[in-house]
Amino acid sequence: MLRHTGERRSFAHNLRLAILLCLNAGFINAAGFIAFAVLTTNVTGHAALLAVHLTSGQWRAARMVALWLLLFLSGAFASSFYIGKVGRHRSFAYTVPILVIIVLLLLVAVFGSGYKHTLPETEYFAGSLLFAMGMQNALVSMVSGSVVRTTHLTGMFTDLGIDLSSALLSRKNLTPTLKRRLLLRLAIIIFFLLGGVAGGFAFQGIRFNAFYFPVALLLVVIFYDYFRIRFKQIIRHKLRR
């Protein structure tokens, strides 16, 4: 999923990446919302909330929301800057941002048990998740060539609506490209929702330990290509014997 970039990247690579990281984003969004009453994978609602706080003169709340917007932006900037510096054609360029996301999730999982619902704690915990999701969205966009988005669905529903109308207008002559686009968009939406359901149930059941699950998913993303290659090598070796 991370080894192939540019012209070497196939639809199957993007589909696998979308499934795993949309599950991850949906899980974190739901668990984070239940934990902190903050949406942590997108910023559209926060922009509207910032405007409301500014117009009502709630400067403390406005500062907090502005910080969250800045943290999501900073996460996207840090991830894309590092990948661009190392070279987006290098598969290991995507590993470091994922490791940073893992560390942030581990911090939430470990220290979340002491969360006392104070405003500063909410700022730190929710801000950490927003920074992490900004990093994830940027790295997925870069590795997939802006084909896959994993942390929000507004644009995805819009694109799906456009593609469905195109499919209806040309239903007797659906192109393979259009079919692949429809499948990818549906996979992103479905697995984001499934991740949200899983995150909601997990957090209600095991509280902050639930954040270990997205850590495990990200480890699968990092090592998927390695284990897949090793498995193929073992199979080939046994067949030759």
Side-chain angles (χ1 to χ4, degrees):
M1 287 180 288
L2 301 177
R3 285 191 311 118
H4 299 289
T5 58
E7 295 180 354
R8 297 171 58 217
R9 191 162 187 84
S10 70
F11 169 74
H13 298 141
N14 287 333
L15 184 61
R16 286 194 288 267
L17 187 70
I19 288 172
L20 286 174
L21 290 186
C22 284
L23 269 175
N24 190 62
F27 191 105
I28 291 170
N29 201 36
F33 183 77
I34 296 173
F36 311 115
V38 176
L39 295 172
T40 56
T41 65
N42 59 78
V43 297
T44 305
H46 293 311
L49 191 60
L50 175 62
V52 170
H53 289 326
L54 289 173
T55 55
S56 60
Q58 299 179 52
W59 308 117
R60 178 70 174 81
R63 185 195 67 79
M64 181 173 65
V65 177
L67 176 63
W68 290 339
L69 292 171
L70 181 61
L71 284 169
F72 191 94
L73 174 65
S74 299
F77 171 82
S79 182
S80 57
F81 182 82
Y82 176 81
I83 294 168
K85 190 74 173 176
V86 173
R88 65 170 63 193
H89 61 286
R90 299 178 182 272
S91 59
F92 63 84
Y94 303 94
T95 304
V96 170
I98 293 176
L99 290 175
V100 173
I101 297 170
I102 287 173
V103 170
L104 291 171
L105 292 173
L106 287 173
L107 289 174
V108 174
V110 172
F111 295 104
S113 58
Y115 176 57
K116 295 180 175 60
H117 298 85
T118 65
L119 198 57
E121 284 180 317
T122 302
E123 286 185 350
Y124 300 144
F125 283 119
S128 297
L129 293 179
L130 280 157
F131 183 88
M133 290 298 95
M135 293 195 78
Q136 175 175 303
N137 207 38
L139 78 89
V140 171
S141 180
M142 293 188 77
V143 73
S144 69
S146 299
V147 173
V148 179
R149 295 282 199 277
T150 62
T151 65
H152 55 277
L153 297 182
T154 304
M156 202 53 55
F157 269 96
T158 303
D159 293 339
L160 179 61
I162 293 170
D163 288 341
L164 286 172
S165 69
S166 299
L168 183 62
L169 291 170
S170 59
R171 57 185 178 276
K172 293 182 179 179
N173 189 29
L174 286 177
T175 64
T177 300
L178 181 55
K179 290 180 181 177
R180 287 194 295 268
R181 284 210 310 264
L182 284 168
L183 179 58
L184 183 62
R185 301 196 201 294
L186 285 170
I188 289 171
I189 292 169
I190 290 169
F191 281 93
F192 187 93
L193 292 174
L194 288 175
V197 172
F201 277 120
F203 190 84
Q204 290 177 34
I206 57 175
R207 303 297 291 169
F208 286 92
N209 288 327
F211 286 98
Y212 289 115
F213 285 99
V215 169
L217 273 176
L218 290 172
L219 289 174
V220 170
V221 171
I222 291 176
F223 293 107
Y224 177 87
D225 288 329
Y226 172 77
F227 286 120
R228 186 164 172 265
I229 292 169
R230 289 293 299 160
F231 180 74
K232 285 184 176 180
Q233 289 174 342
I234 292 170
I235 294 297
R236 289 196 194 102
H237 180 69
K238 288 184 175 180
L239 289 175
R240 286 171 184 169
R241 292 176 63 187

